[in-house]
Amino acid sequence: MKKEVMLRYFLRRLFSLLPMLFLISLICFGVSKLTPGDYLDQLRSNPSIRQETIARERVRLGLDRPVVAQYFIWAGNLLKGDLGQSFRYRVPVNTLIGSRILNTLVLSIATLIFVWLIALPLGIWLAVRQHSALDQIVSTLSYFFLGVPSFFLALVFLWFAVRTGGLPSGGMQSPGFADLSFFGKVLDILWHLLIPVLAGGLGGIAALQRRMRGNLLDVLGEEYVRTARAKGLPEHKVIYRHAVRNAINPLVTLLGFEFAALLSGNALVEIVLSWPGLGMMMLDALTGQDFNLALAGMMIGALMLLLGNLLADLLLAWLDPRIKLEA
Amino acid sequence: MWQRLFRHRAAVYGGILLLFFYLLVGLADFVAPYSETFEDRQASYMPPSAIHLVEDGTLHLPFVYRNVRVYDEKEMLARFVEEEKARFPLRLLVRGEKYRFLFFSSDLHLFGVEAPARLFLCGADQDGRDIFSRILFGGRVSLMVGLFAIFLTVPIGLLVGGISGYFGGWIDGLCMRVVEALMAIPAFYLLLALFGLTYRLEISPTQRFFLITGILSLVGWTGLARVIRGQVLVIRELEYVEAARALGAGPFRILFRHVLPQTASWVVVSASLAIPGYILSESALSMIGLGVQPPAASWGNMLSEGMNYAALAVHPWLLYPGLAIVLAVIAFNLLGDGLRDALDSKQRV
């Protein structure tokens, strides 16, 4: 029964994404049309691009036709999965964007794991020791780190890395990466992940730890916790079996949002530490006037955000019996 | 409400810190020892001036030595050495570069030292500009962007959220779909695209400031509109609104006179919590070269010199503008959290 309801809910939500995608594509397309003049004009002055390419692009995008027609041509190509050519790299955008997405996912999933693995236990641990000196120190530190932007942390770590000389100063691979064994490659990437993950994750730990601590403190004040204690359950059972479970539930939505931000959340860290991901690519595309690439990046980021939100709702509906799907 | 706010010690500190910051950047012409565009090519990457009190075992008023660039043959790089020949005392209210501030022009500066010595409290950047002075001038952009942005987003948010929530139906559906669509595009990519398309325009620093604020507001109004809509949905069902309707007041009169004013406290809280976000966006985009363009200063574009890690390794003082960002953001967070707690009766336990 529940399975069937879930499936119907899922399909309905998936269907409702279609008008949303239409609106998003309109906005993205509108933004790209904000460029003063037709952007092929700017490409024409670039000697490294052949005139034939520009002519082909002109026809493909229907730039000699009205804007509305241009939108439908672009959207049609998009539905067929054709994102156009990158002017800069001379390859289809699709092939280029795939590897960038992979790199971004490596960084953001590593950051996500790092943040959740540390923040949840830390929050629980501090909630149990509320008002202790350590709790106060960590709380103050967390408040501080909430105010430190990731790009500044990245710069500070970069300085530290170059200063000490032992850590990589940006990038994803060492110069001799191709010659390494499989294990060597994994280790090398992990080594390069260290600074970006720290820079992108410390703020996240601060925020999540505060949430976890606050939720658990709220739950610990509930009556069923008092009942459990009155029953004579040992304290660790009261906390871990009863309180923590209920305190974690609201964080599931948060996890969904984190999925949603996987492709765009660490863009600035990528840029500062030259991690070859989607954020770096977007910046390069915009400064290099590679608009097909930029437009594609924006659309894919949006798609990911929508799917992430959907995933969050599903997870929550699945975990929390109080949510009614039929409403 | 004010009493409850003042009981919040942290919020008061945040507010005082902010007042101090705004005062400093407002009076930057007077407080900063050098102007925004002052350059001394001989002082490229000069380290922060060391302020001395003692010379040859005797105590003096605070003074600096002149910093001279010498070329180190062995290490093949230029370094600065203090010339201990003459003392340059720190003076209060010194004459320096001329500036115009509001209606009067002056050449009086709060403090400084006489040339050829330089007083670079936070060191100098590649072009030999005083980082401390530029932090003050850059703060004008960085701190004002947030304020101006909420002056734009609050009316938009009130209008869209109010109409959407009060009228409901297809108007609500349409408005909220647009809001959701805007929110579904990763904000940073949208900002990146909008800034990337406009940063090449040749416009004056003032025009650019308003362009930046405009773009930030365009992307940032959605969250506020959603909050307002939620509030309006609740308020429109209250009895006094019903009474106004029964008295024959028109929908817009009810909305603007009776419903929206009730959301004021929420607006204040959301706005004050949103400002740090605008400051960070401006800094980030200026840092990667798409926002405020040099020679105009902003905290973000000053940090862009630090992205060159070879320069950063030897000149860590390039990071000082980042500290300014951190302080401003924390101060706003403190104030915003305090406001929220003071206004939210539920949290008053």
Side-chain angles (χ1 to χ4, degrees), chain A residues 20 24 31 34 143-144 151-152 155 159 162-163 263-264 267-268 271-272 278-279 282 286-287 289 291 301-302 305, chain B residues 180-181 183-184 186 188-189 192-194 197 199-200 280 284 287-288 306 309 312-313 316 319 322 330 333-334 337:
Chain A
M20 195 54 79
I24 292 169
V31 166
L34 280 182
Y143 203 84
F144 173 75
F151 61 85
F152 181 57
L155 280 175
W159 170 72
V162 186
R163 198 72 228 203
L263 279 189
S264 54
L268 274 167
I271 291 169
V272 174
L278 207 58
M282 283 287 287
L286 282 161
T287 50
Q289 314 218 316
F291 293 105
L305 208 65
Chain B
E180 278 164 25
M183 283 178 132
F188 184 70
Y189 286 178
L192 208 58
L194 288 166
L197 291 173
Y199 80 105
R200 266 175 243 266
L280 289 180
M287 180 183 76
I288 56 182
Y309 61 82
L312 178 67
L319 292 179
I330 289 180
N333 281 346
L334 285 172
D337 287 345

Side-chain angles (χ1 to χ4, degrees), chain A residues 73-118:
Chain A
I73 291 173
W74 173 74
N77 286 337
L78 193 69
L79 284 180
K80 277 183 269 168
D82 174 14
L83 298 168
Q85 289 272 322
S86 156
F87 298 116
R88 196 121 158 272
Y89 301 96
R90 316 274 171 79
V91 286
V93 166
N94 303 22
T95 55
L96 201 63
I97 228 166
S99 69
R100 293 308 189 101
I101 288 181
L102 188 72
N103 293 346
T104 292
L105 283 179
V106 167
L107 173 58
S108 36
I109 291 176
T111 311
L112 187 76
I113 294 174
F114 171 68
V115 167
W116 283 70
L117 267 188
I118 292 190

Side-chain angles (χ1 to χ4, degrees), chain B residues 22-69:
Chain B
Y22 278 96
L23 199 70
L24 273 187
V25 303
L27 300 175
D29 292 293
F30 171 65
V31 180
Y34 302 96
S35 72
E36 185 174 9
T37 47
F38 172 85
E39 285 185 5
D40 178 357
R41 293 283 171 166
Q42 288 305 305
S44 172
Y45 292 132
M46 190 189 274
S49 311
I51 294 171
H52 303 271
L53 285 169
V54 182
E55 188 187 54
D56 301 334
T58 34
L59 204 60
H60 295 275
L61 288 173
F63 64 92
V64 298
Y65 291 116
R66 188 182 172 193
N67 245 334
V68 200
R69 192 222 277 279

